[in-house]
Amino acid sequence: MKSVTILFVVFMSLSFTMEKDNHLIVNNTQKLDTCDFNGKKLYGKIQFVEFANQADIKVQIVNSFPDLKVQFVESFPDKCGEWQVVEFANQADLKVYITESFPDIKIQTVGSFPGLP
């Protein structure tokens, strides 16, 4: 009985150590610990696209528990979560597709304090 208890304690401590890596797990697939996703920064000039295959990232807009808080700005989108909407692909830093299912990340629009929650 004593050996079973010791094995259980060792197993639990190892599992907690593996999960403790200071990353935010996004949809159980990606880790968002900086303001980028698959090498693309999550701020700057954004173009919304009509089809998912044209997008760099698929996002779902939520009211709570976002992966990123987004503030739409008119100029100088140089901080994490600041997005300036542009019309043409050659102006865009990131192409975004809005989806209701299977997003890469979930965003919440805010009026101030954008960035990682």
Side-chain angles (χ1 to χ4, degrees), residues 2-114:
K2 206 175 195 183
S3 62
V4 173
T5 306
I6 292 171
L7 284 174
F8 178 76
V9 169
V10 169
F11 174 75
M12 292 305 290
S13 66
L14 285 175
S15 65
F16 285 121
T17 325
M18 286 189 246
E19 292 180 29
K20 189 178 177 182
D21 60 356
N22 294 327
H23 293 288
L24 173 67
I25 297 177
V26 180
N27 299 330
N28 296 323
T29 57
Q30 288 288 338
K31 293 183 179 183
L32 189 62
D33 61 347
T34 60
C35 201
D36 68 348
F37 180 84
N38 287 344
K40 296 282 189 171
K41 57 186 180 176
L42 295 175
Y43 57 92
K45 295 180 179 181
I46 306 300
Q47 179 194 20
F48 289 105
V49 294
E50 196 171 338
F51 302 104
N53 63 352
Q54 300 172 332
D56 296 319
I57 188 169
K58 296 179 290 185
V59 303
Q60 179 180 14
I61 300 172
V62 296
N63 291 325
S64 57
F65 305 111
D67 300 317
L68 179 70
K69 293 182 179 181
V70 172
Q71 179 181 10
F72 291 100
V73 297
E74 295 294 321
S75 58
F76 305 112
D78 54 1
K79 294 180 185 167
C80 183
E82 289 184 344
W83 288 9
Q84 179 184 357
V85 178
V86 295
E87 189 174 337
F88 301 107
N90 63 348
Q91 299 172 329
D93 299 320
L94 183 68
K95 295 177 186 173
V96 175
Y97 176 74
I98 305 292
T99 184
E100 287 297 318
S101 56
F102 306 111
D104 294 322
I105 65 169
K106 296 178 181 178
I107 65 167
Q108 177 182 13
T109 58
V110 294
S112 57
F113 305 111

